[in-house]
Amino acid sequence: MNQDELPIERGFPIERVNEIAEKESRAKMHYRPIYTMHKWWARRLGCVFRTICLYALLDDPEKIDVHEPGDEQETLSDEDDLAEMLANVSLSDPEALWDLYPKDVRVEDKKILDPFMGGGTSLVEASRFGVESEGWDLNPVAWFVTKKQLEAGQTDVKELEAAFEEVEDDVADEITRYYRTPCPNAQTHDEEPLDEDDPLGLAVDGNLGFNYEVPAGIREDLAVHDHYADVMYDFWVKELDCVDCGATVPLFKDYRVAKGRYENDDQYNVLCPDCESVVLVDDWQSESTCSECHHKWMPKDGTASGSKYACPDCGAQYGITDAIGEQGGFDLRLYALEYYCPTCDDRGLERSAVKGYKRVEAFDQTLYDSAEQEWREHEELHEYVPGEEIPEGHMTSERNPVFKHGYEYWADLYNPRQLLSLGKIQQAIQSLNDQNLREFLILALSDSVRYNTLFVTYNRGYNKADHIFKQNSFVPTMSPVENNVWGAKYGSGTFQAIWDMVKSGVKYASNPTERHVQNGENLETEPFTQPIGEDSTVYQGDMRTIDAENEYDAVITDPPYYDNIMYSEVADYFYVWQKILLEDDYECFQYDKTPRAESIVTNPFHDKTEEDFESELHEAFTVVRRALKQDGILSFTYHHSDSESWGELLAALCNVGFEVTATYPLSADVNKFISGDAVEFDILIVARPSDEREATSWPKLRQRIFETARETRQRLEESRDLSRGDIGVIEMGECFHEYSKHHGNVHREGEIMTAKEVVDEIYGIIQEASDIGTTEVFLDLLRENADDSDAVNKLCRSANTRPEELEKLRLFNTDDGFELGTWDNEKRIAFLEDSLREGDLSDLGKLQYLRYRYDRESPIGRYVQQWIDADLRELASKLVDATGDSVYEEMLAIRSDEASERDLPSGPDNQYSIDDFS
């Protein structure tokens, strides 16, 4: 072992990390609530970066203190024990340090840098080790979010609660008064007259605060009720005129409202298009009858599909965005509500009576109209909502052209009631005296606008609202849902619900715990005494301006994603809200949008090319190389894995004097950043400064790389329980290590090989060193129940096949989303039928075709008789193991006795042809 090597260069406990990552990714609120205080994109799991810190920062036993969580006095592990742990980490056994994962570990005299801190995971986790940490990000939103995460550990929760209560006392009732509805179970008092000046009962503590009018015709439809329910969600639909007959057309994709709940969970709430009642039906995809007016219709057949809408009166079809442009916009109609009634809950009524869906009444529409009147009257509130135009960009002009849908200003993304409510909260927050507490309330307000916009849709299957960035882009919806901005007892994404998440994050930061798995059992430690964020500093600006030299022991980061997501553009959505109360305190919030030109990303809309990305990434790594100590370590995660981007990355690292020392696969927790854009898989890369480059010939280096790949694979297969894909990633790192010793000095036929050329060759060498072919990869995909392209790319890295080959064989396709080429997949069966005609069917194809015919109760006996051999039986057994489908073996027992039922002629090469059964 090289004594200078850090544990992370010799091994990484992938299996143990993944045990936690799988659970943490589904329950971030319980594992690390600090990361749920505000949205940031592609945020890494805390357990991943904690493990990176553990294996990258621990090197000198004399400067490591280990405490039992909850007991500052109890020190664990003496220097000899720690020295042995550090020395024993290896590729074959990386878990020598793992016992320290749930311990309160402190490291002396370490300083780390994250030059692309984003959501700040690296800094938060590093600060828990007591190191000095610094972070940079160009984006003001990322800077602000991370700043508050690091300040959370030094914030008094009781003072924060008191600040929230100030805001609550100031405006909560003024907001929630607009989110009420007559409870369906309420008694009306027709004999009791409405209040002449306040027929809707909007006064708070006897104070109305503005004047509103209810037209006489509508007053007649209002009545006094003995109690009201809280509105959780208001359901809206956009409307356009028919271009032929002029009728008003609601843009319903279908007439579903939401899945039934409780005793009605086998039914669906749907909207009757005739009487506009919300009724329960057994099957929304079949003809249904309204229980109120007896109208018959098909709830699945709406008026809008894709980019067009159809008039239900005359049948005319037209483009939605064309009509919006020609008609000067669209109208919105309130058509349904979801409510919760605390009065009925207190009375002990059944759950379906306490919480449910209802049609819109005159009271509901009039209540909204009154909110709109107050918004128009209180012009002073308008300065507390964004006034900026939506900037043109890739996300707003190309991916989802919001301008064609009638949106020009950020304020257009909200209705007047939402703007009124959010403006009131902002105004109340501004009145708080303490800047730190005020900023935490700004953080909560900023994150809540994800759920309080007309770009929010309703998840009908889960009975809750989604948020604007469900697809991480701006997707206009035809049926927006309006949240209760302040919040009721139930409902997601309200200001109060997001505030609760911020408060939980602050509590966690003061005394964080660690959840881990031990002997298959999920455990949580006692609170650590080391709070989050001590000795941490964050800067907003271009990291290329960092002038430090030989200063940092480690750089731990998650660099730019090439062209996967345009942070600056999507972050503008939060920025315009944050700047309202922050622009007087911080210069970076004094602009109309976040920085564009300095962003290291490929964005053709802003003339940012691939060449720009390569050049700017080179500049960034140059700064990192200069700032890092000579014996320091660079450790970063990376999300783009095609050979071209890998070549660019490897070249950028090597050109500035880095040597790749290891790569490891990481749990693919991050969602697809943009709908339709697949990130292949996630990798941890470790590199260290190196100024020496030895010249070598490609044949010599190729042989060393081949031997390295084979030796690495053998070691891992003998000692680790890793998937083939994971092994391939580690192989790749070892091969990169071999190459980076000679970068710029690898000669082939008189020319110097580029890093991109070497990467292509390394992929081929890893596959050549493997005897795993197409069928084995497909079996692995079946075992993993793969549901995206990530698994295909990952497995093929360590196999003697490529994704293109599997796709050509229709073993997977992405035509309509990711589909595996199983025996019941139409595209795979069509491919098999063509192959059968040509007499070119593999053993896998034979078994899948037999399984397909077996399911259709078509004869298979003579096929079995002709094809069966030991290899086919063995593969059938593997298929049973991979899928749990015993039919693969059972059908091979069907022989010529079945075939006698029909005389089946032969196809080419003595195989039967599909044409024989047509």
Side-chain angles (χ1 to χ4, degrees):
M1 181 191 80
N2 183 343
Q3 294 300 317
D4 292 330
E5 281 186 330
L6 290 170
I8 198 168
E9 297 177 280
R10 290 181 272 115
F12 194 75
I14 302 158
E15 301 95 322
R16 300 290 76 80
V17 175
N18 285 350
E19 276 182 337
I20 304 172
E22 180 184 1
K23 297 176 174 62
E24 184 177 333
S25 65
R26 297 195 304 262
K28 296 182 180 72
M29 186 65 192
H30 299 291
Y31 277 74
R32 283 173 167 80
I34 193 166
Y35 300 129
T36 64
M37 295 200 301
H38 196 285
K39 166 75 176 177
W40 188 256
W41 293 268
R43 193 196 292 271
R44 280 292 178 182
L45 291 176
C47 64
V48 172
F49 270 92
R50 176 167 177 80
T51 308
I52 292 172
C53 290
L54 182 66
Y55 279 69
L57 298 178
L58 274 61
D59 57 355
D60 185 352
E62 295 182 1
K63 295 184 177 182
I64 302 170
D65 289 322
V66 181
H67 301 273
E68 190 66 45
D71 190 345
E72 180 73 21
Q73 304 304 317
E74 184 179 355
T75 302
L76 308 174
S77 302
D78 59 28
E79 291 180 12
D80 291 340
D81 291 337
L82 288 169
E84 185 176 357
M85 288 181 178
L86 293 168
N88 286 344
V89 174
S90 68
L91 195 61
S92 301
D93 182 17
E95 296 181 21
L97 277 180
W98 187 248
D99 285 346
L100 299 183
Y101 179 87
K103 305 303 180 183
D104 196 349
V105 181
R106 319 284 176 80
V107 185
E108 297 177 14
D109 298 331
K110 290 288 184 182
K111 186 174 183 180
I112 74 121
L113 168 70
D114 185 347
F116 304 104
M117 65 187 179
T121 307
S122 62
L123 300 178
V124 168
E125 298 304 324
S127 74
R128 296 180 60 192
F129 287 84
V131 304
E132 183 182 357
S133 59
E134 293 183 0
W136 285 69
D137 206 282
L138 179 65
N139 195 288
V141 176
W143 170 79
F144 181 64
V145 170
T146 301
K147 172 179 177 290
K148 300 316 295 179
Q149 288 173 173
L150 294 171
E151 291 172 352
Q154 289 75 51
T155 299
D156 187 291
V157 175
K158 290 184 178 179
E159 292 180 0
L160 195 58
E161 289 174 337
F164 172 78
E165 288 170 4
E166 280 189 47
V167 174
E168 184 177 37
D169 292 342
D170 194 3
V171 298
D173 290 344
E174 293 183 10
I175 295 171
T176 56
R177 65 182 176 178
Y178 287 118
Y179 293 96
R180 298 175 297 130
T181 188
C183 175
N185 307 307
Q187 298 294 317
T188 59
H189 301 288
D190 295 330
E191 72 285 354
E192 186 175 336
L194 297 169
D195 187 303
E196 188 66 27
D197 297 322
D198 185 17
L200 298 175
L202 295 179
V204 176
D205 296 329
N207 181 26
L208 188 56
F210 78 109
N211 297 315
Y212 71 96
E213 295 182 3
V214 176
I218 295 178
R219 275 178 180 264
E220 297 174 359
D221 295 328
L222 301 178
V224 176
H225 295 76
D226 66 353
H227 71 275
Y228 292 81
D230 297 332
V231 172
M232 295 164 57
Y233 302 109
D234 289 284
F235 294 81
W236 296 85
V237 64
K238 291 178 179 177
E239 292 183 327
L240 291 169
D241 293 337
C242 173
V243 295
D244 280 8
C245 71
T248 299
V249 182
L251 305 185
F252 286 113
K253 180 181 178 182
D254 54 60
Y255 290 95
R256 285 179 295 164
V257 176
K259 191 179 185 299
R261 278 192 293 235
Y262 313 128
E263 66 268 27
N264 302 315
D265 60 2
D266 59 343
Q267 295 180 295
Y268 232 99
N269 292 282
V270 298
L271 178 74
C272 172
D274 195 50
C275 72
E276 299 186 345
S277 295
V278 177
V279 297
L280 285 164
V281 299
D282 293 329
D283 182 8
W284 67 273
Q285 299 189 72
S286 302
E287 185 178 67
S288 301
T289 302
C290 175
S291 58
E292 297 293 323
C293 71
H294 308 295
H295 173 68
K296 294 182 182 295
W297 87 110
M298 296 280 286
K300 73 179 181 67
D301 295 335
T303 56
S305 178
S307 61
K308 293 186 177 182
Y309 70 105
C311 176
D313 291 347
C314 71
Q317 295 188 19
Y318 204 65
I320 292 173
T321 55
D322 292 335
I324 289 173
E326 294 169 10
Q327 296 175 25
F330 53 81
D331 291 324
L332 278 167
R333 176 166 67 85
L334 182 62
Y335 71 90
L337 308 169
E338 183 178 4
Y339 66 89
Y340 160 73
C341 182
T343 302
C344 292
D345 201 357
D346 291 342
R347 292 174 179 174
L349 271 64
E350 60 185 15
R351 290 183 298 172
S352 59
V354 170
K355 186 162 63 168
Y357 302 86
K358 57 171 288 193
R359 67 178 299 164
V360 170
E361 302 177 28
F363 177 92
D364 304 310
Q365 183 62 56
T366 307
L367 194 65
Y368 172 80
D369 294 340
S370 300
E372 187 171 6
Q373 289 182 52
E374 182 178 5
W375 173 244
R376 288 198 303 266
E377 184 174 319
H378 286 278
E379 294 185 2
E380 76 280 0
L381 287 175
H382 294 199
E383 66 182 84
Y384 293 99
V385 303
E388 294 83 2
E389 293 183 350
I390 301 172
E392 292 186 354
H394 171 72
M395 305 299 291
T396 55
S397 302
E398 296 177 337
R399 183 168 294 280
N400 296 109
V402 298
F403 305 107
K404 291 184 178 180
H405 285 265
Y407 303 100
E408 297 180 13
Y409 293 83
W410 288 114
D412 295 340
L413 274 60
Y414 312 86
N415 69 32
R417 180 162 56 185
Q418 291 173 320
L419 293 172
L420 173 69
S421 302
L422 294 168
K424 282 176 176 286
I425 296 172
Q426 288 263 63
Q427 186 182 46
I429 292 172
Q430 187 183 43
S431 67
L432 298 173
N433 293 323
D434 187 285
Q435 181 174 341
N436 178 47
L437 303 179
R438 187 168 63 245
E439 288 181 358
F440 275 109
L441 271 295
I442 293 171
L443 191 74
L445 186 282
S446 170
D447 196 50
S448 74
V449 296
R450 277 194 296 150
Y451 295 88
N452 291 287
T453 164
L454 295 178
F455 275 48
V456 168
T457 58
Y458 193 75
N459 190 321
R460 295 155 167 170
Y462 289 92
N463 302 86
K464 65 176 185 177
D466 286 317
H467 57 84
I468 185 174
F469 291 124
K470 182 183 178 183
Q471 298 182 46
N472 288 320
S473 58
F474 302 106
V475 183
T477 176
M478 299 302 106
S479 301
V481 63
E482 178 189 357
N483 211 338
N484 181 326
V485 175
W486 186 270
K489 181 176 180 179
Y490 298 101
S492 60
T494 65
F495 176 69
Q496 185 168 303
I498 299 299
W499 155 252
D500 287 339
M501 296 172 73
V502 170
K503 184 172 69 173
S504 295
V506 173
K507 286 182 177 179
Y508 173 84
S510 298
N511 297 106
T513 61
E514 198 59 55
R515 292 175 183 257
H516 60 292
V517 180
Q518 184 173 313
N519 298 324
E521 184 180 0
N522 297 325
L523 302 174
E524 183 177 11
T525 68
E526 292 295 317
F528 287 28
T529 54
Q530 174 74 28
I532 285 171
E534 286 188 347
D535 211 5
S536 300
T537 309
V538 291
Y539 301 94
Q540 184 278 323
D542 188 340
M543 60 79 57
R544 286 170 289 181
T545 63
I546 296 174
D547 58 5
E549 292 187 29
N550 196 34
E551 184 172 332
Y552 301 98
D553 298 283
V555 174
I556 302 174
T557 191
D558 194 14
Y561 299 135
Y562 191 64
D563 62 353
N564 284 113
I565 190 166
M566 314 305 175
Y567 290 130
S568 57
E569 294 188 13
V570 289
D572 282 342
Y573 181 76
F574 297 123
Y575 177 82
V576 292
W577 283 97
Q578 292 174 357
K579 77 183 291 288
I580 295 167
L581 298 185
L582 295 176
E583 60 184 343
D584 291 339
D585 297 318
Y586 305 108
E587 182 183 354
C588 58
F589 283 102
Q590 294 176 1
Y591 306 95
D592 287 342
K593 59 188 178 183
T594 59
R596 297 287 196 272
E598 302 90 341
S599 294
I600 301 177
V601 69
T602 299
N603 187 345
F605 189 91
H606 294 293
D607 298 323
K608 300 277 289 185
T609 66
E610 293 181 16
E611 290 74 20
D612 292 329
F613 177 79
E614 291 180 38
S615 173
E616 291 167 352
L617 194 62
H618 180 276
E619 293 172 4
F621 280 131
T622 300
V623 171
V624 170
R625 173 66 178 84
R626 184 180 65 236
L628 195 62
K629 292 180 179 178
Q630 185 60 32
D631 61 350
I633 196 80
L634 167 63
S635 179
F636 64 98
T637 53
Y638 203 65
H639 307 275
H640 227 74
S641 310
D642 60 78
S643 59
E644 183 173 352
S645 62
W646 264 117
E648 292 165 358
L649 178 66
L650 190 59
L653 283 169
C654 293
N655 285 340
V656 301
F658 278 109
E659 179 179 302
V660 175
T661 57
T663 64
Y664 305 104
L666 295 175
S667 174
D669 163 67
V670 182
N671 292 331
K672 297 296 173 289
F673 307 142
I674 302 296
S675 178
D677 284 0
V679 177
E680 295 187 357
F681 56 93
D682 300 330
I683 294 180
L684 169 63
I685 301 165
V686 185
R688 64 164 56 239
S690 175
D691 296 323
E692 300 178 3
R693 296 278 190 251
E694 297 178 6
T696 188
S697 66
W698 171 243
K700 289 182 179 179
L701 180 58
R702 189 189 188 286
Q703 182 60 33
R704 286 201 302 275
I705 289 175
F706 182 86
E707 292 170 356
T708 296
R710 175 159 289 181
E711 290 172 4
T712 301
R713 170 169 293 278
Q714 289 174 347
R715 287 177 63 191
L716 293 172
E717 287 179 339
E718 291 171 1
S719 60
R720 306 277 294 276
D721 183 21
L722 295 171
S723 71
R724 290 169 176 168
D726 287 345
I727 289 174
V729 171
I730 299 173
E731 281 183 281
M732 188 165 61
E734 295 295 314
C735 295
F736 284 176
H737 187 192
E738 287 296 326
Y739 164 72
S740 56
K741 298 174 185 176
H742 310 283
H743 173 72
N745 277 313
V746 180
H747 299 263
R748 181 170 65 178
E749 297 179 357
E751 296 185 354
I752 300 295
M753 293 183 70
T754 67
K756 293 179 183 179
E757 290 172 333
V758 173
V759 167
D760 283 335
E761 293 285 354
I762 286 175
Y763 284 162
I765 291 169
I766 291 175
Q767 292 169 341
E768 182 183 336
S770 169
D771 59 357
I772 299 166
T774 301
T775 298
E776 287 77 11
V777 169
F778 182 71
L779 288 171
D780 278 345
L781 292 170
L782 291 174
R783 291 187 186 99
E784 295 179 9
N785 195 24
D787 58 3
D788 58 29
S789 301
D790 296 8
V792 179
N793 289 296
K794 196 172 183 180
L795 287 167
C796 285
R797 292 288 183 252
S798 60
N800 197 9
T801 188
R802 288 185 175 273
E804 295 80 9
E805 180 64 20
L806 271 76
E807 191 164 21
K808 179 181 177 182
L809 297 173
R810 286 300 193 176
L811 289 171
F812 81 94
N813 72 82
T814 56
D815 299 341
D816 301 305
F818 182 86
E819 294 179 342
L820 274 181
T822 51
W823 65 265
D824 55 351
N825 181 268
E826 292 182 6
K827 295 181 175 64
R828 172 66 172 162
I829 290 302
F831 174 84
L832 295 180
E833 289 172 344
D834 290 341
S835 299
L836 185 59
R837 289 189 183 97
E838 298 169 6
D840 183 23
L841 208 56
S842 67
D843 280 356
L844 176 61
K846 291 173 183 177
L847 286 168
Q848 286 187 312
Y849 186 64
L850 289 173
R851 182 67 182 84
Y852 167 72
R853 289 185 61 81
Y854 184 94
D855 186 70
R856 296 180 63 191
E857 298 183 357
S858 299
I860 65 172
R862 287 200 177 183
Y863 283 104
V864 174
Q865 185 176 13
Q866 179 108 16
W867 291 340
I868 194 164
D869 58 21
D871 290 341
L872 200 70
R873 287 187 183 279
E874 181 180 356
L875 181 55
S877 177
K878 291 179 180 179
L879 281 165
V880 172
D881 176 66
T883 64
D885 185 357
S886 60
V887 172
Y888 282 108
E889 289 183 321
E890 293 169 4
M891 66 188 183
L892 294 186
I894 300 173
R895 302 294 292 273
S896 57
D897 53 339
E898 180 206 72
S900 63
E901 298 173 10
R902 183 172 178 183
D903 185 21
L904 306 179
S906 298
D909 300 327
N910 295 320
Q911 294 191 11
Y912 301 111
S913 168
I914 188 64
D915 295 328
D916 302 330
F917 302 95
S918 58

